[in-house]
Tab-separated table of all heavy atoms in Angstrom:
chain	number	residue	atom	x	y	z
Q	55	ILE	N	277.818	150.851	-33.694
Q	55	ILE	CA	278.270	149.944	-32.585
Q	55	ILE	C	279.792	149.723	-32.784
Q	55	ILE	O	280.449	149.713	-31.743
Q	55	ILE	CB	277.507	148.581	-32.587
Q	55	ILE	CG1	276.034	148.827	-32.288
Q	55	ILE	CG2	278.106	147.544	-31.753
Q	55	ILE	CD1	275.177	147.593	-32.697
Q	56	LYS	N	280.167	149.707	-33.955
Q	56	LYS	CA	281.582	149.408	-34.185
Q	56	LYS	C	282.464	150.647	-33.812
Q	56	LYS	O	283.644	150.459	-33.288
Q	56	LYS	CB	281.829	149.071	-35.698
Q	56	LYS	CG	283.195	148.364	-35.769
Q	56	LYS	CD	283.637	148.327	-37.220
Q	56	LYS	CE	285.018	147.664	-37.356
Q	56	LYS	NZ	285.549	147.882	-38.660
Q	57	ARG	N	281.897	151.843	-33.992
Q	57	ARG	CA	282.610	153.028	-33.504
Q	57	ARG	C	282.593	153.122	-32.062
Q	57	ARG	O	283.442	153.688	-31.438
Q	57	ARG	CB	281.954	154.356	-34.115
Q	57	ARG	CG	282.287	154.503	-35.663
Q	57	ARG	CD	282.132	155.894	-36.080
Q	57	ARG	NE	280.672	156.310	-35.934
Q	57	ARG	CZ	279.845	156.120	-36.981
Q	57	ARG	NH1	280.204	155.355	-38.036
Q	57	ARG	NH2	278.637	156.397	-36.795
Q	58	MET	N	281.512	152.523	-31.359
Q	58	MET	CA	281.395	152.644	-29.967
Q	58	MET	C	282.365	151.735	-29.228
Q	58	MET	O	282.797	152.018	-28.179
Q	58	MET	CB	279.997	152.139	-29.647
Q	58	MET	CG	279.237	153.014	-28.675
Q	58	MET	SD	277.601	152.318	-28.218
Q	58	MET	CE	276.720	152.540	-29.843
Q	59	LYS	N	282.677	150.579	-29.865
Q	59	LYS	CA	283.468	149.512	-29.233
Q	59	LYS	C	284.767	150.030	-28.659
Q	59	LYS	O	285.130	149.609	-27.488
Q	59	LYS	CB	283.621	148.327	-30.094
Q	59	LYS	CG	282.582	147.339	-30.003
Q	59	LYS	CD	282.761	146.222	-30.975
Q	59	LYS	CE	284.206	145.658	-31.032
Q	59	LYS	NZ	284.307	144.705	-32.169
Q	60	PRO	N	285.581	150.824	-29.382
Q	60	PRO	CA	286.913	151.174	-28.838
Q	60	PRO	C	286.784	151.865	-27.547
Q	60	PRO	O	287.751	151.930	-26.865
Q	60	PRO	CB	287.473	152.070	-29.866
Q	60	PRO	CG	286.777	151.637	-31.167
Q	60	PRO	CD	285.413	151.223	-30.763
Q	61	LEU	N	285.672	152.449	-27.311
Q	61	LEU	CA	285.551	153.120	-25.979
Q	61	LEU	C	285.390	152.212	-24.874
Q	61	LEU	O	285.272	152.571	-23.693
Q	61	LEU	CB	284.247	154.149	-26.036
Q	61	LEU	CG	284.599	155.331	-26.846
Q	61	LEU	CD1	283.318	156.138	-27.097
Q	61	LEU	CD2	285.549	156.229	-26.079
Q	62	GLY	N	285.232	150.884	-25.151
Q	62	GLY	CA	285.252	149.925	-24.127
Q	62	GLY	C	283.967	149.724	-23.303
Q	62	GLY	O	283.875	149.188	-22.240
Q	63	PHE	N	282.855	150.222	-23.960
Q	63	PHE	CA	281.540	149.940	-23.386
Q	63	PHE	C	281.145	148.419	-23.497
Q	63	PHE	O	281.476	147.797	-24.441
Q	63	PHE	CB	280.444	150.707	-24.048
Q	63	PHE	CG	280.471	152.199	-23.772
Q	63	PHE	CD1	280.815	153.114	-24.629
Q	63	PHE	CD2	280.212	152.695	-22.441
Q	63	PHE	CE1	280.823	154.437	-24.412
Q	63	PHE	CE2	280.315	153.968	-22.244
Q	63	PHE	CZ	280.614	154.976	-23.165
Q	64	HIS	N	280.478	147.968	-22.406
Q	64	HIS	CA	280.027	146.516	-22.480
Q	64	HIS	C	278.877	146.553	-23.408
Q	64	HIS	O	278.153	147.637	-23.609
Q	64	HIS	CB	279.671	146.059	-21.092
Q	64	HIS	CG	280.748	145.909	-20.160
Q	64	HIS	ND1	280.692	145.525	-18.852
Q	64	HIS	CD2	282.127	146.068	-20.389
Q	64	HIS	CE1	281.911	145.531	-18.295
Q	64	HIS	NE2	282.852	145.819	-19.199
Q	65	VAL	N	278.517	145.366	-23.842
Q	65	VAL	CA	277.451	145.221	-24.830
Q	65	VAL	C	276.058	145.677	-24.145
Q	65	VAL	O	275.254	146.423	-24.694
Q	65	VAL	CB	277.284	143.771	-25.256
Q	65	VAL	CG1	275.969	143.481	-25.851
Q	65	VAL	CG2	278.340	143.324	-26.219
Q	66	GLU	N	275.993	145.362	-22.845
Q	66	GLU	CA	274.804	145.793	-22.079
Q	66	GLU	C	274.695	147.249	-22.124
Q	66	GLU	O	273.550	147.912	-22.224
Q	66	GLU	CB	274.804	145.242	-20.659
Q	66	GLU	CG	273.776	145.755	-19.754
Q	66	GLU	CD	272.284	145.489	-20.399
Q	66	GLU	OE1	272.144	144.539	-21.199
Q	66	GLU	OE2	271.367	146.151	-19.901
Side-chain angles (χ1 to χ4, degrees):
Chain Q
I55 293 170
K56 203 194 175 190
R57 284 199 296 276
M58 228 183 290
K59 268 177 47 185
L61 286 168
F63 287 114
H64 293 176
V65 168
E66 173 57 22

